[in-house]
Structure formats: structure tokens, C-alpha cells
Amino acid sequence: MSVAVLYAVTGLGLFSLGLYALIVRAHLLRKILALNIMGSGVFLVLTALARRAPDGPPDPVPHAMVITGIVVAVAATALALVLLRRVVETTGQPRLPDPDSE
Amino acid sequence: MAAEHVSLLPVLLIFLPLIGALLSFVFRRRAAGLGIATAVAVFVIAIALAFSLTRPQRYPVGGWGAPLGIDLVVDGLSLIMLLMSATVGLGVSLYAGGYFHARPQLARAFWPLWLGLWTALNGLFLAADIFNLYVTLELLGLSAVALAALGGSAAALGGAMRYLLVSLLGSLLYLLGVALLYHAFGSVDIALLGERASAQPVTLAALVLMTVGLILKTALFPFHFWLPPAHASASSPVSALLSALVVKASFYILLRLWLEIFEPLNPGRGVTELLGLLGALAVLWGSLQALRQTRLKLLIAYSTVAQLGYLFLGFPLAAAVGPAAWQAVIYLALSHALAKAALFMAAGNIVLFGGHDRIADLDRVVQRLPLSLAAFAIAGISLMGLPPSGGFIGKWLLLEAAIEAGQWWWVVIILIGGMLAAAYLFKVIGFAFTRAPVSHEANAVPPVMEWTALVLAVGTVLLGLWVSPLLAWLATGNPFGVGP
Amino acid sequence: MNHWYDWVPLMLLGSSLLPGLVIFALPERSVRLRTVLNLSGAVVKLLLVGWILRHIYFDYAVLFETRLTLIPQLDLALRIDPLAMLFVTLSSVLWLLTTIYAIGYLEGAPHRSRFFGFFSLCVTATVGVALAANLFTFLLFYELLTLSTYPLVVHRGSDKARRAGQSYLIYTIVGGVLLLLGTVWLYTLTGSLEFTPRGFVADLEQRHHPALILIFILLIAGLGVKAALVPLHGWLPQAMVAAAPVSALLHAVAVVKAGAFGIVRVVYEVFGVQFAASLGVAVPLAIVAAITIIYGSIRALYQDDLKRRLAFSTVSQVSYIVIGVALAGPVAAIGGIVHLVHQGLMKITLFFCAGNLAETLGIHKISEMSGVGRRMPWTMAAFTIGAFGMIGLPPVAGFISKWYLSLGAIEAGQDWVIGVLVISSLLNAAYFLPVLYTAWFGTPPERWPQARDFGRRETARALLFPTLVTGASALLVGILAATPFSPLAWAKLIIEREFY
């Protein structure tokens, strides 16, 4: 197993771990963290797969994608955190309201 | 000269709303004026593009070209989507001018966000590569979530939060698919991928990941759970945007990928039948839920769940009879955009007027708010698929495809969906005639809000009459390929 | 649109559509402007109709056709032909009279702009149904008729009206869906939906015949809802919650006739009556119509509410048209088609009378009608003509219809239909004669339920005039049936030119 494949498999592992937490955890902060972990997993996969030939130089395009992806992820996390604060302020708890409770 | 001029128009469709967003963020006091001016300009440019586009255009931004640069492509499918967002966008902008006039605090947030959303939307419809699609999809999702939260009520914030989580999850699934495709075929350009892609496990994995991510964002049954709370609790112009345009964007990506990359690889009937089945369940479930609702905006939101289901019937039907089914689906999507925007606007007027959206207490709005109710009814006719309307033409084409394919179960779904739509919409209209036990004090509704709703609703009728030019535009560049 | 006369069908639509749209925008208090618009629209339409009739009668070569291609091979097309003009003439004449009637009837009532706006839309849709040159266009106006009558049913805004509207919609929307399915299916088989004399489906291969039978059933069921074929008739008595002019023009004439007219089109110009007979679908249709005729009459017997009795009578009488068409012979077809006009004139008279009784004296039930003939002799005279016509007594129009239907039944070798007609006439007599007897020979009560005073006249002029005109017409078209401009002559012309 080459290093690249190891990284890629780790990335997929992180992704699955995050997905699990996103579904199972009720606390919104944990859900946001879970999404971040999933994101890191995807970025890891992208970085790992950039090495196309075992000896040649890595492909720069996926790296550029990862940088773009990180920027997007930061923005999304910021928005999520702001929303989380507002949800806590209005409902008093860091959980999603039950949609049928209205 | 003429050709260069044409190729600049797509760029303007992205940069104009972007500049508008920045300006309205800086000059907050004049945000509404700037926003409406931008909307008018974008609308005019989209129309100009429609009339000048004779064959598909590809525009390399900055002159770099693929694989390094970002290309914009426009063909018939993108054109119709751009026209859809331009028309609804202009309508919503005018409506929002009236709606936020009395809420200056919200207006300052609305305009930059909405114009940002529009930038992302147009960028998405013009994107030529799957990574650019990812970026625009994320921008679209984030601005949509921020807009959904704008109302600030607990329901709106909760709905927006759920929407955000689902949206990010969908994007990440999609991005993972992008990574796999790039790894396997060394390109993100859709056309190149279409040439290079071959049927192998990694392609199938990408197909599954991307499809799941995108149907999550399109709120296809059973992933629709996030849509009704988010769309119903948002402020009315935002509801209109979310239901009419935003959900169509992820469907558009799915359709593009399917048409250009996955379908030629023949992934098997299982995929198309499954998507069709989920669509059919969405039609039934969404309609039945809509029928159960006692609140007007929730009813309309569930109707969106149902109407999105029709779009997915295109997958099995196109597999059976070819591009005609996609024509029908796009026509339905376009009609739904106008109709749903008009419905949410009319509902917004009713809420503003009576201070609530309880259907049983509509209290003679037919007499007291006739223009809005007319908008509601006319848009409703299109959703039911009754003539003369775009919805009718779409249903007709879809039925034709289903009968030609001999797939009677889809015929039954389409017809039942139409009857259920009539049931839930006429439930509202019926109560608009009766008197409520307690009459509420009425607030004035700015005329511009009534008229924009009505004009968009009448637009659905025009879609039912002005069919062949639209279908000709849609056929530009043969986006659906030749039939089997 | 190369010739000026391509616009004629559109003008026929526009003469009621445009006034209707303007009326929507009028404020409630501009009574005079609204009246002028209403009446001038109706008069313009009538003048146009007269002019076109002359054109068709003497100069058959001109084809009035408006066409808009939506999708290649799918056109929105309006065409004037003799059959269309029969229906257009009937609805234009009755529209003018009903408008006058409605102005009188609704004097001082709320929301009149809305009422007259939708009323004009309904008439527009009816004319569109008549002029449709293909099944696609027909479907469009047929649905439009559903949609534009709904607001008139729920117009009063009571909970009862809302529920009646609901059930009206359930029937008509389901009917529309069946019609839609049949139409699309047919289109996928033939690639064309243009109404053609003697039909356009007979050339299809033998293997499509089972599909054609199903399509026939779908189309007839879809149309049968509006034509109130049993068991699809349930909406009609319920829709009587609407105001008298609505019951009179729309539910007794326009809507049910749109269904019956559609059946004529489908049998003669989609399938072709010979082909329909060879498919074996004509006789079952005649049987359904016969059941409807008997069933409607029996139900009518038991209604005390006058409008409901008339509604069930409509259920029964409209199927005379259907049975005439289904018998697949020229003479029966003449009887069926001419009944389209005759039944319209007679039934609208009866509904006008019912409206007069309700509006003048507050009478809604037959049991309240005792001696009303002495208080309102003119109204009851008109009612008597209508009722005699329904029973089929000569020389009123209904007799002519029944005569041709009976001859046609013999010609077609379906003698049992005569039995149906006889039974139906007896039942008609059984539910109309007691009404007449009570009204003329009963003792008037001390006071009427809700009497209004109209001075020397028995009721408002606007209510009485249309009633007398339609009553007299029902008598005249019967007496003058043999003259060249009678509905009978026109029905014969249709049959000769188009179908045989």
C-alpha cells in the first residue's frame, strides 16, 4: 500500500466518521464539527490523489481545489457558528427544533 | 464583431449581480435601488442572450482556457435556466422592494445576499467544469441559508440551520465525487470527462456520491425533510427564491452530469428507475402532505416537494423515449419556477394583509385582496397542470413520453399528482371566499407586491401559449443528445 | 393569419372576453358602465353570429379559422363550422337574455363585478368549446369552463357554497383528467387531433382497436361528467346552490351542453359514427344514455326543491342528445343535435321561472307553489310551455326532438329506445304536471314566504322579459320547425354536409 493510498483511505475514514457524527449527534456544535471533519477527509483524498505517477511531480490542480475548498469551508463554518449562536439565543438550546412541534 | 459581443453577455450575467452585491453592501441606504437596477440589467442581458444565441458558446474567462482556466459555456439548457432565474429574479427584486421597504434593517442584509445568490446561480448555470460547479453550488447554498435565516424567528433560524447542515453535507458528497472523477480521468471539464470517462467502479462510486449529494440538495423524497420548514419560515421573497430557483440549481447539475458523463456509460436501468420511483413517491407524499397542511406557506412548501418529484420522472422516461422527456421536464421546471414564485408572493401578501397564514381563516381575501388571489389561482392552475399554462404543456409532453414508452405507472402518477394539486390549491381558494369567525384587522399591501405576483402568474399562462420559441431555444446545441 | 377572416373566431371569443376582463377591474358602484359593457358585448357577439350564419348559409367556401401552433403538430385552432355555430348561436342568444335577467336578479347584491366578470369568462369558454377545431383546443376550453364556473358556484361565500364548489370540482377535475388521458393517448397513436367529418381514427391498424375502445371510454367518461351521464351526474344538483342565472345559463345550458357537444364531436369527428358502431361502443353509450334518461326522471319525481327537480330533469334531458348521437343513424342524429337547442331553450325558461318565483315571492319549493299561477300568470305561462316541451307535447320544441329520435331509433333498428322515450315522457309528465296543477288550480296562501312588491307588474321587468322571450322561442321553434331557418333545418344541414 503506497503512502498516497494510505492517505486516501484515511480521508475516506474521516469522511465516514464525520458522517456518522453528523447523523447521530444532536448538539449542533458537534454537527458543525462533524461537517468540518468530513471536509478534511475530502481534502485529504484530493491531496492524496494528486500524486498521479509514483515518481513524477504531484499534480497541482487538486491542491488548488483544496485551497478553494478550505476557503469555502471556513466561510461555511463561520456562517454555521453565527447561526448556532442565534439559535441558542432564540430557543435557548443548541439543538434543532422538532419541525412538527409548531 | 457580433460573435464577440454575444460571448461577452454570459460574463456580464455573472459580474453584474456580483458588482450589484458589492455596491449594495457598501451603499446600504441605496441597496434597494441598486438591487432593482441590477435586476433589470440582468434581465435585459438574459433576454439579449436568448435572442442572439444561435449555437452553443464557450467563453474562456481571462483567456486561459481549459484545463487551467475557468470556462463559461452556454447552450439551450443553460439559456432556459438563465432566463428562468432572470425572470423570477426580476419579479422577486421588485417584490422585495415593496416588502422590505417597511423593514430597512432586513433590507440591508437582503440585497447583498440575494445578488450574491444570483451571481452564484448564474455562475452555476454557465459553469463548464465540475469543480466550478462545486464552488458556485456552495456559494449558492451559503447565501440561500443566510437568506432563509433573515426572518430571525426561531422557526426561521431552526429551518436555516437544518438547511445549512443538509446543504454542506450534500456539497461534500458532491466534492468527493469530483475528487474521484478527477483522479480517474484527469480533468474536471464536463465535456472532456464526457469523452474520457469509462464505466469502471470509480465512476460508479462518483455517480452514487454526486447523485446522493445533489438529490439531498434538491430535496427529493425521502431527503425532503429539510425543505418545508426552511422554505415556509423564510420571509416571503426569500421563500419564492428558494422554492423557485435554488432547488432547481442542484437538479440542473445532476441533469448535466447525467447527460454528459454518466448516461453514455449506461449505468443500467436500476439507477433511472430508482430516481423515477423516488420522484413518484415525492409527487404522492408531497401532495398528500400539502393537502394536510393548515398553514398556507407550509402547504406551498410541500407542493414544492411534490413538484420537484415530477422532474425525476425524466430519468426513466428519457431512458425509454429519449430527449422528449427532458424537454417536458425542463418545461415543468420553468413553469414551476414562475408559478411557485407567484404563489409564495401571493401568500406573502396574504400574510402581510391578515397577519397570519391559517388557511381556514383566509376571510374573503378573494374580495379584499383580489389581485393576489388571482395570482394565486392562476399560478395554481399551472401547478395543477390545467390549460392554458406552462404546467399543462409540461404535463402534456411528459404524459406523451410516458404513454409512448408504454410505462403506465408513470402516467397514473402524473395524473394523480395533478388531481392532488387541484385538491390542495382549491382548498385554499375555497376558503378565500368564506368569512372567518373572527375578522382580523387588515394591513395595506403595497400595489407593487400584488402586481409582481400577478405578472409572474400570468407568465405561466404565456408559457402555455408561447411554446415553440422556448422549445427552440432549449434545443440550441442539442443539450439532450440524440434519442436512442 | 393571412386574411381578415382568420380573426373572426377570435372576435367571437373577444366579444365576451374583453368586456369580462374590463368588468373585473370595475369598482362595485359603476353599475351603469358595467351594464353597458355586458349588454354591448352580448349584442356585438349576436351581431357577429348573425353575420357568420348568413355567410355559412349562402357562401360555404369561406373557412373562418384561427390557428396558433404550440408544438409542431399541436395547434390551438378555432374553426367555424355549422355544428359549432349551432352551439355558438344558442349560447350567444341565451347569454344576452341571461345577462338582462342577471342584471335584474342581482340588483343590489354584493360582488357583482366579480360575478359578471366570471360570467363573461364562462361564456367565452363555452364559445371556445364550440369553436375548437381539434381535441386539444377543445380540452383547453373545456377545462377553462370548469375553472371559470367554480367562482360562480362558491360566489355566495357560505360554507355550503364552498362545499358545493368542492364537490363540483372533484367531479369536473376528475373528468378533465380522464379527457386529458384519452386525448394524449389518442395523440400518441394518430399524431393528430383535428376534428374531421367522419372521423380520423378508422385507418389505424387492427391491433390498436382495443386501445381505441379504451380511449373512447376515457373520452366519453371525461365528457360525461359535464354532460351529467349517470353515474357522473352528482355535481349538477349540488351546483344548484348558485344563483338562478348561473343555474339557468351555465348549469342547464353551457356546462352540460359542453359535455354533450363534446360527445357529438368525439363520436362524429374523432371516431366517426360508423367506425364507433363497428368498434361496438355506440350501443353501450346509448344504453348509458337510456339509463341516465330514466334515472334522472325518477330522481326528479322525488324532489320538492324546484331547482333540484329541474336539475334532475336536466340530467335526464341532456342524455336525449347523447342517445341521438349514439344511435348511429342520420335521423336520430338530427333529433339529438336539434335537442341541443331545444332543451336549452326550454330548460332556461324553466330556470328563469324558478328564479322569478324565488326572487318575487321567496318560493323555493314545489309545495309552496300552490296557486302561484294567479299571482304570476306570465311567469307560470312560460313555465307551462317549458314543461309541456319537456314532456314532449306538440307543438312545443321538445316534441320535434322526440319525434326525430323515435324515427331514428326505428331506422337504426333499436326499437327499445322508443320504449325508453315513452317511459321518460310519462315520467316527465309525472313530475311536471303536478307542479302545473298546484300552480294553476291550487289555493294561494294568505301570504307568500317573502313577497316583494312590483306595483302593477307581477315581477321586475328585467326578470320577466327574458323569461317570456325564451318561453315564446321554445314554442316558436317547434311550430316553425319546418321553415328554412329553424334549428331543425340547421341540424339537417349539419347532418347532410358533415356526417353523411
Side-chain angles (χ1 to χ4, degrees), chain A residues 43-92:
Chain A
F43 299 149
L44 204 54
V45 172
L46 268 171
T47 322
L49 297 182
R51 181 170 290 278
R52 308 184 67 79
D55 310 320
D59 183 355
V61 175
H63 294 169
M65 290 186 198
V66 169
I67 291 174
T68 316
I70 289 174
V71 173
V72 172
V74 168
T77 309
L79 178 62
L81 291 175
V82 171
L83 258 181
L84 170 61
R85 273 193 53 187
R86 294 289 305 274
V87 168
V88 173
E89 277 168 23
T90 43
T91 65

Side-chain angles (χ1 to χ4, degrees), chain B residues 129-209:
Chain B
D129 67 69
I130 54 176
F131 188 72
N132 200 15
L133 280 174
Y134 164 73
V135 175
T136 49
L137 188 65
E138 276 291 42
L139 287 178
L140 181 75
L142 294 183
S143 41
V145 167
L147 280 171
L150 206 60
S153 67
L157 291 170
M161 189 76 218
R162 192 185 304 269
Y163 183 19
L164 177 64
L165 296 175
V166 168
S167 179
L168 290 176
L169 174 61
S171 311
L172 285 173
L173 287 167
Y174 174 82
L175 185 61
L176 197 54
V178 173
L180 294 182
L181 282 183
Y182 183 80
H183 170 67
F185 307 111
S187 174
V188 286
D189 186 79
I190 296 177
L192 280 177
L193 280 173
E195 287 167 19
R196 292 182 190 168
S198 57
Q200 42 178 286
V202 66
T203 328
L204 187 66
L207 167 68
V208 171
L209 286 169

Side-chain angles (χ1 to χ4, degrees), chain B residues 366-367 381 386-388 392 396-397 399-400 403 408 411 415 419 422 426 429-431 433-434 464-465 467-468, chain C residues 69-71 74 76 111 114 136 139-140 143-144 147 150 154 157 162 169 174 177 180-181 183-185 187-188:
Chain B
V366 66
Q367 196 60 33
I381 288 169
L386 293 181
F392 173 69
W396 176 282
L397 294 171
L399 278 175
E400 207 185 311
I403 295 176
W408 288 95
V411 174
L415 294 178
M419 288 191 274
F426 269 108
I429 295 171
F431 279 110
F433 279 83
T434 54
L465 299 175
V467 184
S468 34
Chain C
T69 301
L70 292 186
I71 308 168
L74 205 56
L76 215 54
H111 314 324
R114 189 173 89 210
F136 179 76
L139 176 70
L140 188 140
E143 296 285 21
L144 213 56
L147 295 172
Y150 172 79
V154 293
R162 188 179 60 80
L169 276 178
V174 171
V177 162
L180 171 68
L181 178 57
T183 307
V184 186
W185 194 357
Y187 180 70
T188 59

